[in-house]
Amino acid sequence: MTLVMGIVNVTPDSFSDGGRHLDPEAAIAHGRDLRAAGADILDIGGESTRPGAQRVDPAVERERVLPVVAALAGDGIPVSIDTMNAATAVAAVEAGALFVNDVSGGLADPEMLAAVAALRCDVILQHWRGHSADMYAAAEYRDLPRELVVELEARVAAAAAAGIPPARIVLDPGIGFGKRGAQNWEALRALDRVCAMGPRVLVGTSRKRFLAEALAGGEASDSVDERRRDLATAVTSVLAAQAGVWAVRVHDVGATRDALTVWRRWEDGR
C-alpha cells in the first residue's frame, strides 16, 4: 500500500505555499487538517528548497519547526523532518520525528549520516546535484536513468559506511531537483529501476513546474493554477504507486488519497 506524506512548509518562501503556515499554530492546524484528510506521515520543513532559494540559518530553521514537530508528534502522528542540517535533524528526532528527510542525500552537511546512524531513525536520501541557488547548473546527463541509479547507489553506500542499514533507508529520485522539464519525466519513467534497488522509494511531484509545463501546452506555466497542478499530482502519484513506490509526498492530501483509493479498487477488481 502506497503511503501519503503530507507537506507542512513552515517557511515564508516555499514555491507553492510559502508564508501560509509560517506561524507555528497555523502550521500545527494545517498538519492536523492533512492528517484528517488521510496523510499517513507529515513532512515538516523550515527551509525552502525551491529553485533559487537561499539557505536559512539552522537556528532559525529549528525555531520554525521544533514546536510544530513536537505538537504533531505529540498527537501520535508519524512525523518527518525535512532538513539538510544534522543539528536540526537531531533536535527534531528528539522532539518526536521518526524520519529525517534530507533532500541532499547527506551531501549538504558532512555530519548528517553519522547523526542519523546514532539516532537510529529512518532516513530519506534524495538524488541531488547542488543547492537550490544553482540547482540546474549540473542538470546535464548522458543517460539520466543510469546516472540516477548510480548516484543513489553511492548515497546508499555512504549511509552504510556511516552505520545506517538499508532497511532504514528510503530513496527519492529528486523530481525537480537538478532536473529540467523533460528530464523529470525521464526520472519518473526510471522508477522501476529505482524501486529495484531494494530500499523503499518516495516520490514527490507535487505542484512542480514540469507538471504545469505539461498542462500549459506551450503557454507560460504560471497560467496553470493550483487546482490543476493538484490534479496532475494525483495522476502522477497513482502512476508512481503502480511502479511500486513506498510513499508519495503531496500538498493536497485529499486529492491524492482519493486517486489512490480509486486505483486500488481498480486493481482489486482485476
Side-chain angles (χ1 to χ4, degrees):
M1 180 179 70
T2 300
L3 304 181
V4 178
M5 177 182 282
I7 299 168
V8 182
N9 288 322
V10 195
T11 62
D13 58 343
S14 290
F15 83 94
S16 176
D17 56 358
R20 292 186 194 175
H21 313 116
L22 182 58
D23 176 77
E25 292 304 316
I28 293 164
H30 181 56
R32 289 170 175 160
D33 287 344
L34 292 179
R35 179 65 165 177
D40 299 291
I41 305 165
L42 297 178
D43 192 39
I44 300 166
E47 178 179 7
S48 174
T49 52
R50 63 175 173 78
Q54 300 299 312
R55 298 301 312 276
V56 171
D57 186 289
V60 173
E61 179 190 35
R62 290 192 291 276
E63 183 178 351
R64 292 173 179 175
V65 300
L66 292 181
V68 183
V69 170
L72 295 174
D75 287 348
I77 303 171
V79 167
S80 167
I81 180 64
D82 179 356
T83 184
M84 292 182 281
N85 296 303
T88 300
V90 171
V93 172
E94 290 175 347
L98 301 179
F99 300 84
V100 173
N101 181 10
D102 183 352
V103 300
S104 81
L107 290 167
D109 186 339
E111 298 181 5
M112 178 63 87
L113 295 180
V116 168
L119 291 168
R120 299 185 180 277
C121 63
D122 288 1
V123 63
I124 301 164
L125 301 175
Q126 184 185 274
H127 180 257
W128 186 81
R129 284 190 166 185
H131 286 288
S132 297
D134 59 352
M135 69 161 60
Y136 298 126
E140 302 295 336
Y141 301 87
R142 285 180 173 270
D143 182 343
L144 189 148
R146 183 188 65 80
E147 292 172 60
L148 175 64
V149 169
V150 167
E151 290 169 33
L152 285 173
E153 285 175 339
R155 303 322 306 146
V156 173
I164 304 170
R168 284 172 45 205
I169 294 172
V170 179
L171 296 177
D172 183 334
I175 303 302
F177 287 79
K179 301 170 188 68
R180 297 188 183 94
Q183 293 172 333
N184 293 292
W185 296 109
E186 286 188 73
L188 289 172
R189 286 192 291 269
L191 278 179
D192 57 342
R193 295 173 64 171
V194 177
C195 289
M197 293 173 62
R200 293 163 290 170
V201 175
L202 170 71
V203 167
T205 62
S206 191
R207 298 179 181 169
K208 291 187 175 177
R209 180 179 299 174
F210 82 105
L211 294 178
E213 289 172 347
L215 296 174
E219 299 178 10
S221 62
D222 58 9
S223 67
V224 178
D225 63 22
E226 194 172 279
R227 179 191 62 82
R228 294 179 68 199
R229 290 182 186 229
D230 285 334
L231 176 58
T233 300
V235 172
T236 52
S237 294
V238 168
L239 294 172
Q242 288 179 323
V245 305
W246 165 74
V248 290
R249 181 180 181 274
V250 302
H251 295 86
D252 186 339
V253 167
T256 287
R257 173 60 68 197
D258 288 347
L260 289 171
T261 297
V262 171
W263 168 66
R264 287 190 193 110
R265 290 298 298 270
W266 178 288
E267 291 296 304
D268 289 345
R270 285 183 181 272

